[in-house]
Amino acid sequence: MRVLLTGSTGFIGRAVAQALRQRGHTVVPAMRRPSPGRVDFVQADFASVPSRDWWLPRLEGIDAVVNAVGILREQRGQTFEALHHRAPAELFHACDAAAVRSVVQVSALGADEHGRTGYQRSKKAADDVLRSLPLRAAIVQPSLVYGPGGDSAALFNKLAVAPLLPFPMGGRMPVQPVHLDDVVQGVVRLVESPPEEVATYVFAGPRPLALAGYLRELRLAMGENPRQWVIPIPAFLFRAGATLAGVLPGSMLDRDTADMLLAGNATQRNGLPALLGRAPRAPADFIAGPVRESARREATLDLWLPVLRLALAFLWIWTAIVSFGLYPVRDSYALLARVGLHGTPATLALYGAALLDLVLGLLTLAAPARWRRGVWLAQLALVAGYTVLITLFLPEYWLHPYGPIAKNLPILALIALLWSLEPPAREGRH
């Protein structure tokens, strides 16, 4: 079969494409920006809402269509209304006109009359359009999907390794996570054996769990101690925190995702076991033994690196504030005199260094990704320079019981870690 696949570069779409090819099908991806050298594709941008007439000639020779386009948050040029509703609706009408053999729409659990968020309502709007057409089609509504490379998996792994979590209702919200492999297998089966008329299939894990219980399963799967402190907090505080997180680029948490999490994500009409002929994979088996330790380390880094950056930024900014006058200026000049600086040079050194510390602290918090390696290198050079100068001119500080200079060594190691984890600049960009 020739299968047109939209959302082919997304989390679920990539896995569906691989599975279809392994089954011997030809996948024709619909892509905004196709990779160089690719010949069998359709260049389509859902944000511009291609019309059904535009799709018709591009559906010639297509046996099945899988729509896996989805965004969790709106951003510039990408709206729920366009990507989730209007563009898929035009594609589904074109499938009807072109007599496509089967259609699979990847929707979401909660995309029903009770859906409260723009994400859920827009998915339901497209589902309803498909239900109105005389097609052999399936609407797949997955619960939380866990799989390698998924943003959701990364988020829940990170939450799982946290020693303490503030959650509304003490983390008792029901969830029913499903593994990516089971979702993909179900989609492929529906492509190959579509229902006689449009049908909805909920894809979920074997049983509902409290969110705290799900995280405990992931902790065990990563080899962590299952004990995790969950502190109940009011729902309004959780929503307020999610609203603030929504301002951060790349954050999965915002007001809408918080509302979906608070509403729960479980079902009593799981269609996956009957479709697969077996029980879906349980969360305890989501992380295979060979990758257990690497998953734990990656989650731990994801959790603590932002904390380390905040601590480092505080160190630079507090040092600047202290140098600007909280520490007696007279004593600062006395130290600079021992380095050989007096008068105007000493003043320039004192306030210039304080200003540099302040700038480095602010850049630690807010430097664009392309600047970060340079920021870390500047910090390494400055801390190393301070350490050398103090060693030469004020060596007794190495013997201070509070270790003000010895502490530079772990700080240098921390900055080196941050530098090494930044992706290197790509060469040969055009």
Side-chain angles (χ1 to χ4, degrees), residues 178-214:
V178 60
H179 197 276
L180 175 66
D181 292 347
D182 291 334
V183 172
V184 169
Q185 187 176 346
V187 169
V188 171
R189 291 200 174 181
L190 290 170
V191 168
E192 296 176 337
S193 302
E196 292 300 319
E197 57 186 18
V198 183
T200 301
Y201 296 83
V202 174
F203 282 7
R207 70 187 192 284
L209 292 166
L211 177 60
Y214 175 39

Side-chain angles (χ1 to χ4, degrees), residues 70-92:
I71 55 171
L72 192 59
R73 292 175 58 186
E74 291 183 318
Q75 40 192 314
R76 182 185 300 177
Q78 294 189 321
T79 64
F80 291 143
E81 177 64 17
L83 272 71
H84 289 176
H85 174 204
R86 292 170 53 217
E90 292 296 312
L91 174 58
F92 298 154

Side-chain angles (χ1 to χ4, degrees), residues 100 144 156 169 176 218 251 263 272 333 340 362 370:
V100 171
L144 298 173
F156 286 108
M169 303 179 344
Q176 201 165 343
L218 291 178
S251 171
L272 197 51
Y333 280 131
L362 295 175
R370 65 182 182 276

Side-chain angles (χ1 to χ4, degrees), residues 373-398:
R373 279 206 154 202
V375 171
W376 307 139
L377 287 175
Q379 293 185 10
L380 283 170
L382 193 58
V383 174
Y386 287 159
T387 304
V388 170
L389 286 174
I390 293 171
T391 299
L392 292 175
F393 295 97
L394 305 166
E396 69 273 14
Y397 276 86
W398 278 101

Side-chain angles (χ1 to χ4, degrees), residues 107-112 120 141-144 176 202-204 265-267 269:
S107 183
L109 185 58
D112 52 33
Q120 293 169 324
Q141 296 184 332
S143 180
L144 298 173
Q176 201 165 343
V202 174
F203 282 7
N265 201 259
T267 183
R269 51 187 183 90

Side-chain angles (χ1 to χ4, degrees), residues 190-350:
L190 290 170
V191 168
E192 296 176 337
S193 302
E196 292 300 319
E197 57 186 18
V198 183
T200 301
Y201 296 83
V202 174
F203 282 7
R207 70 187 192 284
L209 292 166
L211 177 60
Y214 175 39
L215 298 179
R216 186 162 49 250
E217 296 274 2
L218 291 178
R219 284 178 69 84
L220 285 168
M222 287 187 284
E224 285 279 352
N225 186 303
R227 183 70 177 270
Q228 185 178 45
W229 294 97
V230 179
I231 301 175
I233 62 170
F236 78 88
L237 281 181
F238 182 67
R239 287 192 175 96
T243 301
L244 290 175
V247 178
L248 302 175
S251 171
M252 279 195 65
L253 191 62
D254 61 7
R255 182 63 182 254
D256 279 359
T257 54
D259 282 342
M260 289 190 285
L261 195 59
L262 288 171
N265 201 259
T267 183
Q268 295 181 340
R269 51 187 183 90
N270 189 1
L272 197 51
L275 190 62
L276 299 181
R278 58 172 175 80
R281 190 184 307 187
D285 301 319
F286 278 2
I287 303 172
V291 300
R292 173 180 296 176
E293 181 58 21
S294 61
R296 188 187 69 83
R297 290 185 180 184
E298 183 176 348
T300 302
L301 279 174
D302 284 348
L303 174 68
W304 290 109
L305 276 178
V307 178
L308 293 176
R309 284 184 61 182
L310 286 172
L312 186 62
F314 172 80
L315 175 66
W316 286 110
I317 293 171
W318 182 249
T319 302
I321 293 171
V322 169
S323 299
F324 276 125
L326 282 185
Y327 186 78
V329 174
R330 180 179 56 191
D331 293 348
S332 295
Y333 280 131
L335 291 173
L336 289 170
R338 293 186 59 188
V339 181
L341 295 175
H342 304 272
T344 300
T347 300
L348 291 175
L350 174 61

